[in-house]
Amino acid sequence: MLELKNLTVQYGAITALQDVSLRLDRGEIVTLIGGNGAGKTTTLRAISGLLKPRSGSIWYEGNDITGRPPHKLVAQGLAHCPEGRMVFANLTVLENLRMGAYLQRDRRVIEKELEFVRSLFPRLRERESQLAGTLSGGEQQMLAIGRALMSQPRCLLLDEPSLGIAPLLTQTIFEKITELNRVRGLSILLVEQNANLALAVSHRAYVIECGRILLSGPASEVKSNPQVRDAYLGGG
Amino acid sequence: MTELLQQVINGLSMGAIYALIALGYTMVYGVLRFINFAHSDVFMLGAFVAYYTARAFGRWGFVMGGYLGGIAILLLSMTACAVVGIVIERLAYRPLRRRSTLTVLITAIGVSLLLQNGGQLVFGVNPKAFPDIFPSSTLNLGGLVINSNQLVVLGVAIALLSALHWIVQHTRIGTAMRAVSFNATAASLVGIDTNRIISFTFGMGSALAGAGGVLYAMNYPSIEPLMGNSPGLKAFIAAVLGGIGSLPGAALGGMLLGFVETGVSGTRWSTFRDAIAFAILIGILLFRPAGLLGRNRVEKV
Ligand SMILES: Nc1ncnc2c1ncn2[C@@H]1O[C@H](COP(=O)(O)OP(=O)(O)O)[C@@H](O)[C@H]1O
Ligand SMILES: [Mg+2]
C-alpha cells in the first residue's frame, strides 16, 4: 500500500533521514519507534508531501507520489494526523471536523462520516460548538484523529498520538486506533516515542535512530530484541 | 444637535470606507503574514475603473445616474480589482512564498510604485472629476442636510461588510480561509489547496478595496493615481489598531478612525488630523500591543 525506497531528506545541510526504506501493507498497523530527534516526524512529513526528499521515492497504491503536494494526497485516501495535533483552535469542533471532509462534496457522505466520528469519540459530540482551542490535550488529539478520518482515508499516518496526554486517555485513543484498523481495515503508520504502547497494537515495527532504520520485524520480535529493550522499553 | 448628527453620518461613511480597505490588509496578513502595500493602489484602480466605466456607459447611451447603473459600475470595479489582486499575488508574491517576509515587503512596495507610476502614465497626473454614478440629491431631514451619496456609501459599505462576514463565517471556502490563516500546514493536510485560498483571499480583499475606492470617490469626487496613499495609510493604521489578522478588528478600527478623523475635522485641531490618528495608534499599541481585538497567538511547538 505504502512503500518508501531509499529516502534521504535534508534540512539545509542537516541530513534528517538517510536511505530510509519501509513498507506498510494493506490492513496493517506498522509502528516507527525511535527517540527524540530520530527522524520519525520527518519521515511522515516527507510521505505526506510537506517535505521534498533529496533522493529516493515514495510509492502509494502503486503510484510514485514523491513530491506530490499534501492536498492531492488527501484526495487519494492518504491522511496525515500531525505531531502536536494542529487542530484549528480558532474554529469550532464541528467546523474542524467538517474541514476534515473539505474535499467531499456529497453532504450525505459528510453526515455519515460525522456520525461515525461521533460514535468513535462521544466526547467530541458534547463539545461540537466549542472552539477547538478550548479543548483539553486529549480531546484535541481525538479531534485531530477525527478530522483526519473525515476524509475517509485508506491509509493513516499518525504522529505521536500519546504526546502530552493523560495515560487513561492515551489508553482510549489506542483502543480506537486498533478498532479502526480491525473494523474499517484502515492501514496505519504509527509513530510513537512510547514504544511499549505502540508495539502492543502493531503488527510490525521499524526502529529508527539518527535518521537510519536500525532494525525491523514483527512487533513481537522487535519487542523481545535486547537492543530495543534496553534503549526503548525501559530495560525490561 | 443636527451638527452632531451630521458629524456622526460623516464619521460613519468615512469609517465604513476605512473598514473596507482595512479588511483587505488584515485578510492578506492573516493568510500570508505580510502587509500588502500595493493594496492602497488597488483601491485607486477601483475609482479609475468606475470613472472610465461611467464614461463608457454614458457614451453607449446607458441610463446613467440610476441606481442600477451605479450598482453595475460598482460591481464591475470590484470584479476588475479582484482580478488585479489575484494577478499581483500570482506574479509578484507567489514566487517568493518561501522567502523572508522582508523580501516580500520590498516587493510589495515595488508593486505599489509600479501601479502608481503606471497609473500616472495611463490616466495622467492631473485629478479627474468623478461623475455622479448614483442619483445624487440633497435631503433635508428636519434641519439635517445630507447628500444622498453619503447614505449610498453607508448602505453599500454595510452590505459588503455583512456579505464578507457571512462568507467568512458560514461558507466552506470562508472556513477554509480561517483554517489557512490559523495553520497553513494543517490546512493542506486536510486537503485544502492553500494557494487557491490565498488567491481567493486576495481577490476578496481587492474587491473590497475597489469598492472602497468607488465609495471614496463618491465622497471626494476628484481622483488621481496617488489618491490611495492617504486612505491606504489610514486603513493600515485601522487594521493594526483593531488587531492585524482580526476581521472584526479591522472593521472596528476603521470605524473608530473615521469617527476620530471627522470629529477632529470639525475643531480647530483639524490640521493635526493625521497626527492624532497616529497618536491614537501608538497609544493603543502601548497598552494593547496586539491591537483592540487581536490575540497574542500562542505558538505551540
Ligand atoms: N525544520 C527543521 N529544520 C532543521 N532541522 C530540523 C527541522 N525539523 C527537524 N529537524 C531535525 O531533524 C531531525 C529529525 O527530527 P524529527 O523528524 O522531528 O524527529 P522525531 O520526530 O523522531 O523526534 C532532528 O535532528 C531535528 O533536529
Ligand atoms: Mg516527532
Side-chain angles (χ1 to χ4, degrees):
Chain A
M1 154 146 267
L2 181 69
E3 188 168 10
L4 277 56
K5 294 180 182 168
N6 309 100
L7 209 65
T8 297
V9 176
Q10 296 178 327
Y11 294 105
I14 307 162
T15 302
L17 292 183
Q18 178 93 56
D19 214 19
V20 165
S21 296
L22 62 80
R23 205 184 75 243
L24 171 70
D25 289 332
R26 190 174 298 278
E28 262 190 324
I29 302 182
V30 167
T31 184
L32 182 60
I33 55 180
N36 204 359
K40 307 181 296 295
T41 297
T42 303
T43 307
L44 296 196
R45 290 173 74 89
I47 297 171
S48 62
L50 292 172
L51 293 172
K52 301 246 180 298
R54 171 53 53 101
S55 63
S57 58
I58 303 162
W59 296 76
Y60 174 68
E61 292 184 334
N63 300 312
D64 186 351
I65 58 160
T66 320
R68 206 170 284 188
H71 65 268
K72 295 230 166 103
L73 293 172
V74 177
Q76 289 167 17
L78 182 69
H80 179 172
C81 182
E83 183 177 56
R85 309 182 275 269
M86 293 194 190
V87 297
F88 302 119
N90 58 336
L91 268 54
T92 65
V93 168
L94 187 59
E95 283 174 333
N96 267 273
L97 292 174
R98 288 192 183 283
M99 277 293 106
Y102 181 76
L103 296 173
Q104 179 58 258
R105 293 306 198 120
D106 188 337
R107 287 200 174 181
R108 279 165 311 178
V109 177
I110 297 177
E111 289 310 314
K112 207 182 95 240
E113 283 308 303
L114 263 177
E115 261 327 301
F116 174 73
V117 171
R118 285 174 180 137
S119 66
L120 197 66
F121 299 119
R123 281 174 92 128
L124 294 182
R125 188 199 297 265
E126 302 157 20
R127 313 204 180 283
E128 270 176 13
S129 54
Q130 231 169 289
L131 287 182
T134 65
L135 298 181
S136 75
E139 289 163 348
Q140 288 192 14
Q141 186 62 61
M142 293 178 188
L143 178 57
I145 295 175
R147 184 180 65 182
L149 293 175
M150 287 298 293
S151 67
Q152 296 186 294
R154 297 186 287 279
C155 176
L156 178 65
L157 312 176
L158 196 50
D159 199 341
E160 305 235 26
S162 74
L163 196 71
I165 290 173
L168 210 63
L169 273 180
T170 307
Q171 198 68 41
T172 313
I173 285 171
F174 271 76
E175 277 164 21
K176 300 299 179 184
I177 291 170
T178 43
E179 185 182 326
L180 282 167
N181 172 257
R182 245 188 5 245
V183 178
R184 289 209 144 183
L186 182 64
S187 314
I188 301 172
L189 180 55
L190 172 67
V191 154
E192 260 298 337
Q193 273 196 61
N194 188 335
N196 268 318
L197 212 53
L199 288 170
V201 301
S202 302
H203 302 108
R204 289 188 303 115
Y206 291 83
V207 179
I208 187 170
E209 209 167 81
C210 297
R212 292 165 188 275
I213 299 292
L214 207 65
L215 59 94
S216 65
S220 53
E221 268 176 37
V222 171
K223 206 171 184 171
S224 54
N225 180 303
Q227 229 179 322
V228 174
R229 290 174 84 109
D230 289 346
Y232 303 109
L233 300 175
Chain B
M1 184 60 206
T2 49
E3 190 172 330
L4 185 72
L5 260 173
Q6 184 73 58
Q7 289 293 355
V8 167
I9 290 174
N10 290 346
L12 276 175
S13 65
M14 199 60 240
I17 292 172
Y18 286 156
L20 285 178
I21 316 171
L23 283 163
Y25 281 114
T26 227
M27 282 197 292
V28 165
Y29 183 86
V31 291
L32 286 181
R33 300 284 182 275
F34 87 101
I35 303 301
N36 176 21
F37 285 111
H39 190 59
S40 57
D41 306 299
V42 174
F43 162 92
M44 171 273 290
L45 285 179
F48 273 95
V49 172
Y51 172 82
Y52 286 109
T53 314
R55 290 214 337 191
F57 274 18
R59 250 199 323 275
W60 300 333
F62 274 39
V63 256
M64 264 302 296
Y67 280 98
L68 234 66
I71 288 172
I73 290 171
L74 186 71
L75 290 179
L76 261 167
S77 262
M78 290 174 66
T79 310
C81 287
V83 172
V84 169
I86 289 168
V87 169
I88 290 174
E89 188 276 325
R90 191 65 197 250
L91 297 182
Y93 304 147
R94 191 172 300 181
L96 305 175
R97 200 53 54 79
R98 284 164 199 284
R99 300 302 181 82
S100 75
T101 308
L102 188 63
T103 312
V104 189
L105 278 178
I106 291 170
T107 306
I109 294 173
V111 174
S112 171
L113 290 175
L114 182 76
L115 291 177
Q116 291 181 9
N117 295 342
Q120 291 180 326
L121 196 71
V122 177
F123 309 135
V125 290
N126 293 325
K128 294 183 180 343
F130 194 76
D132 275 332
I133 58 171
F134 282 95
S136 169
S137 58
T138 309
L139 308 173
N140 193 329
L141 305 172
L144 177 68
V145 182
I146 42 177
N147 188 305
S148 62
N149 266 347
Q150 280 189 304
L151 295 183
V152 173
V153 167
L154 202 58
V156 169
I158 289 172
L160 289 175
L161 293 177
S162 312
L164 177 75
H165 178 80
W166 183 78
I167 290 173
V168 169
Q169 291 300 325
H170 298 294
T171 66
R172 172 174 172 269
I173 195 156
T175 313
M177 237 177 92
R178 285 183 284 144
V180 169
S181 90
F182 186 78
N183 187 331
T185 301
S188 70
L189 289 180
V190 296
I192 296 172
D193 182 347
T194 50
N195 275 331
R196 279 184 64 172
I197 299 299
I198 289 167
S199 283
F200 177 75
T201 305
F202 266 84
M204 235 173 24
S206 303
L208 292 181
V214 179
L215 300 182
Y216 189 83
M218 285 170 63
N219 269 356
Y220 304 95
S222 164
I223 63 173
E224 46 96 16
L226 305 185
M227 67 180 275
N229 285 342
S230 167
L233 184 62
K234 300 285 176 47
F236 170 60
I237 292 178
V240 176
L241 198 66
I244 191 92
S246 156
L247 298 185
L252 177 70
M255 283 296 181
L256 210 66
L257 212 64
F259 267 104
V260 170
E261 211 178 88
T262 45
V264 173
S265 296
T267 71
R268 63 199 171 91
W269 300 103
S270 64
T271 42
F272 296 106
R273 216 170 61 175
D274 294 359
I276 290 171
F278 278 106
I280 290 177
L281 175 73
I282 294 167
I284 288 186
L285 291 187
L286 276 178
F287 294 102
R288 290 191 62 95
L292 290 174
L293 302 183
R295 271 167 303 189
N296 282 312
R297 282 165 55 99
V298 182
E299 302 281 353
K300 284 189 190 142
V301 184

